[in-house]
Amino acid sequence: MSDCIFCAIVAGTAPARIVYDDDHLVGFLDIRPITAGHTLLVPREHSTGLADLAPETGARLFQAGQRVAAAMKSALGADGVNLALNDGRAAFQTVFHTHLHVLPRQSGDKLRFAKGLLTRRAGDADALACALRAELAEPSGT
């Protein structure tokens, strides 16, 4: 899809801090993160939402979500992780290429998390991306 920013990231023609990459998916840091390390997992093949997402691709998204979540717990010290897939404008989807949000959480971060929904600042994204990539490259990161 020529005007899809996520397709451009997948193609390597738009910049992104890639943390996960396989034959079917690409994962990168959100440019407006809710929490530090907020990662988006996107299928390489364009789909706009759940209605046109192949079931096997959906399964791969959540499998990769589990791997990235484990990496966040290990590399970033996350106490928990939210996985979210917004499907449609009414569900706050803003980029119409199916994507899974993986958000690291800390115990007791309710106020910081709520503030993150409003401010969405990247922080030290290069260091976060490096830490996640390193953890995901480890054989035990599966």
Side-chain angles (χ1 to χ4, degrees):
M1 190 137 226
S2 63
D3 61 344
C4 174
I5 186 62
F6 290 173
C7 285
I9 289 170
V10 167
T13 59
R17 290 179 175 90
I18 306 294
V19 299
Y20 181 89
D21 189 9
D22 69 23
D23 291 341
H24 305 281
L25 308 170
V26 175
F28 49 91
L29 294 183
D30 192 309
I31 61 168
R32 295 183 55 236
I34 294 171
T35 61
H38 178 173
T39 298
L40 302 177
L41 291 166
V42 305
R44 288 185 175 279
E45 185 174 321
H46 184 86
S47 72
T48 59
L50 290 173
D52 64 342
L53 180 68
E56 59 276 5
T57 303
R60 286 183 179 113
L61 270 176
F62 277 88
Q63 288 169 342
Q66 286 178 302
R67 286 199 60 209
V68 172
M72 288 174 170
K73 289 178 179 181
S74 181
L76 306 182
D79 296 320
V81 175
N82 286 113
L83 298 179
L85 194 150
N86 303 337
D87 183 42
R89 205 171 298 282
F92 305 110
Q93 184 178 6
T94 57
V95 177
F96 291 89
H97 182 125
T98 306
H99 55 286
L100 181 68
H101 295 261
V102 187
L103 297 116
R105 300 293 303 274
Q106 301 295 324
S107 295
D109 73 352
K110 290 179 183 137
L111 289 177
R112 214 173 23 173
F113 187 77
K115 181 182 174 189
L117 287 167
L118 299 173
T119 58
R120 298 189 73 168
R121 293 191 179 106
D124 189 355
D126 289 330
L128 292 166
C130 184
L132 287 172
R133 276 193 304 270
E135 188 63 32
L136 287 163
E138 292 294 317
S140 62
T142 58

